[in-house]
Amino acid sequence: MPKPPARSFPLLTSKRLTLRAPTMADAEPFRAILSIPEVTRFSNWPEAPTKAHGERFMRWMGKLHASGAGCAWMIQHRRSGDVIGAIRFNRFEKKWRNGEIGYELHPNHWGQGLMTEAVGAVVACGHEHFRLNRIEAWTLPGNGASDRVLEKCGFRFEGVLRQRAWFKGSFHDFRMFGRLAGEP
């Protein structure tokens, strides 16, 4: 039986952003973004990532779409052409038609609505292209800016999963958000 044709990568654009496939050339710019303590403060990314971390992260993100396990995009500012962050479906649960998103943005671009643009584009792609019924995201307590991005993109706060994960030397509560297809 022949192998089905490869799915084409969903290149996304918004008013100010291009969301494109990650390449190994993005390893160092992404590592540099993750090296900023404010970026990783509310995440499970390691603090002070090494060059090897950056390369490993980029290999993982680069394989998500091809494997069907998820999909990752580099966030590129259309005007400058600079890579300013990343956004991805960390995982798909195909049988249940849901996925989980995660994202990072360089602090120089915070407070401008850029992440809201990126999340909006990825949510639309998730519901339309990947046919997801439910999209989830988690934030850590205290990350009000990320909570607001999700709410602006139609996610609803659904509750707290107490001590859901262990990273950076302690247990962390996850503030869970969800969005269903067809919701505004």
Side-chain angles (χ1 to χ4, degrees):
M1 179 175 224
K3 207 175 168 185
R7 295 178 304 273
S8 62
F9 185 86
L11 175 71
L12 307 176
T13 58
S14 67
K15 181 178 178 183
R16 299 174 288 174
L17 304 172
T18 298
L19 279 59
R20 60 162 178 79
T23 69
M24 285 309 290
D26 298 315
E28 181 52 30
F30 187 60
R31 187 207 62 78
I33 291 169
L34 293 181
S35 295
I36 302 168
E38 294 85 0
V39 172
T40 59
R41 177 178 173 208
F42 293 110
S43 78
N44 59 341
W45 288 109
E47 296 169 2
T50 64
K51 179 179 178 184
H53 281 124
E55 291 169 357
R56 186 170 61 238
F57 301 153
M58 210 47 53
R59 280 191 300 274
W60 169 67
M61 289 197 308
K63 291 178 184 175
L64 279 173
H65 182 259
S67 71
C71 190
W73 294 265
M74 299 312 294
I75 303 171
Q76 194 168 359
H77 200 283
R78 290 177 75 175
R79 190 176 32 124
S80 69
D82 293 338
V83 170
I84 61 171
I87 186 167
R88 76 214 137 261
F89 283 107
N90 292 315
R91 63 174 171 76
F92 289 143
E93 292 181 33
K94 292 179 187 177
K95 184 178 179 180
W96 296 349
R97 291 184 48 201
N98 74 39
E100 176 195 86
I101 64 168
Y103 46 81
E104 302 76 35
L105 187 67
H106 193 288
N108 289 350
H109 301 280
W110 290 359
Q112 300 171 32
L114 294 171
M115 190 50 75
T116 301
E117 265 184 55
V119 170
V122 167
V123 161
C125 179
H127 290 311
E128 296 163 17
H129 182 80
F130 294 115
R131 298 187 56 237
L132 299 175
N133 180 60
R134 177 180 169 81
I135 300 173
E136 301 172 341
W138 58 265
T139 65
L140 295 182
N143 192 355
S146 196
D147 292 352
R148 286 187 297 280
V149 165
L150 294 168
E151 289 166 347
K152 286 178 191 174
C153 292
F155 286 79
R156 294 184 191 176
F157 174 67
E158 296 179 334
V160 176
L161 298 179
R162 297 176 307 137
Q163 297 186 6
R164 171 69 169 92
W166 171 270
F167 53 86
K168 297 182 182 175
S170 63
F171 286 104
H172 295 274
D173 294 345
F174 279 11
R175 292 175 44 79
M176 296 302 300
F177 291 81
R179 185 188 196 293
L180 303 178
E183 289 184 334

